[in-house]
């Protein structure tokens, strides 16, 4: 396909550049007319017309291209630059220069692409840098939240263990223990004056150890409920009804009193 031929600077160092001006013009014209396979359609007259040289000058140039060149550096076909072909000529070594042209074009495209990439880094932050910054910000936020949670947990533990524990209840979740202190026992003793708070708490401890399903947060409410039931009767049992007796002398409460009445 004709239309574009890249001219390498090495032509300035070749033997063709030692020829006369008309010969050099005809050579550049042939390169411009060659298709992708290096074929040039035409005659000496048509090439002369396109080259804007005389027919004689064009014929002299074509003879130079068809004959061996003693100063040739390629070593191909004794330095001949063209060979006759159907309807015209074929430029020797055109495929080599076409491949070289493709490599040069690729390098040029890569150079332009690299230049654009460097410009984009200057004008806008790299995606990797943005993601790294986001990851660092997220890590800092998580570390800050973790440190805050640890401080709150530390304060809670210190508040809970201020007083020595009278009983220690194993609980599920965090924290894994709940401590019953003497001030708490004293407060509940005032609320349940007829109840042995510490004794009932020991019963509740046995129940908790057997069931293993109470949390530290729910222990106060659990014990208050336990103490309330204990105050109203045995925990876990229905209130017993007072027994009735057919004869008064059968009632143990009247033991000895019947004789006194007699």
């Amino acid at each position: 396909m004709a239309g574009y031929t890249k001219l390498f600077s090495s032509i300035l160092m070749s033997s063709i550049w030692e020829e006369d001006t008309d010969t050099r013009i005809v050579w550049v014209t042939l390169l411009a007319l060659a298709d992708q396979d290096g074929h040039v359609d035409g005659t000496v007259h048509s090439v002369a017309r396109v080259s804007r040289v005389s027919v004689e000058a064009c014929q002299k140039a074509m003879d130079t291209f068809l004959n061996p060149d003693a100063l040739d550096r390629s070593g191909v076909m004794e330095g001949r630059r063209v060979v006759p072909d159907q309807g015209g000529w074929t430029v020797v070594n055109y495929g080599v220069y076409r491949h070289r042209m493709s490599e040069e074009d690729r390098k040029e495209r890569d150079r332009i692409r690299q230049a654009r990439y460097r410009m984009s880094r200057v004008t806008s932050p790299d995606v990797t840098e943005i993601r790294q910054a986001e990851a660092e910000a997220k890590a800092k936020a998580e570390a800050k939240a973790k440190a805050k949670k640890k401080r709150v947990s530390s304060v809670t533990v210190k508040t809970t263990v201020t007083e020595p524990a009278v009983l220690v209840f194993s609980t599920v979740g965090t924290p894994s223990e709940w401590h019953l202190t003497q001030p708490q026992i004293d407060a509940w003793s005032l609320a349940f004056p007829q109840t042995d708070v510490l004794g009932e708490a020991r019963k509740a401890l046995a129940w908790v150890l057997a069931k293993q399903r109470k949390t530290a947060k729910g222990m106060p409410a659990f014990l208050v409920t336990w103490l309330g039931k204990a105050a109203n009767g045995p925990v876990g049992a229905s209130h017993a009804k007072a027994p009735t007796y057919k004869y008064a002398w059968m009632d143990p409460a009247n033991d000895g009193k019947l004789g006194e009445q007699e």
Side-chain angles (χ1 to χ4, degrees), residues 1 21 28 32-33 47 59 100 107 146 161 181 207 228 230:
M1 182 178 66
T21 302
V28 173
L33 292 173
V47 173
Q59 184 63 63
R100 183 177 173 186
K107 291 178 181 178
K146 187 175 181 180
V161 189
T181 61
W207 188 93

Side-chain angles (χ1 to χ4, degrees), residues 13 19 40 44 58 89 91 134 172 195 200 218 231 238-239:
M13 306 302 294
E19 302 291 339
V40 179
V44 172
C58 184
W89 307 268
V91 178
E134 291 176 347
V172 296
T195 303
E200 293 298 330
S238 60
H239 291 215

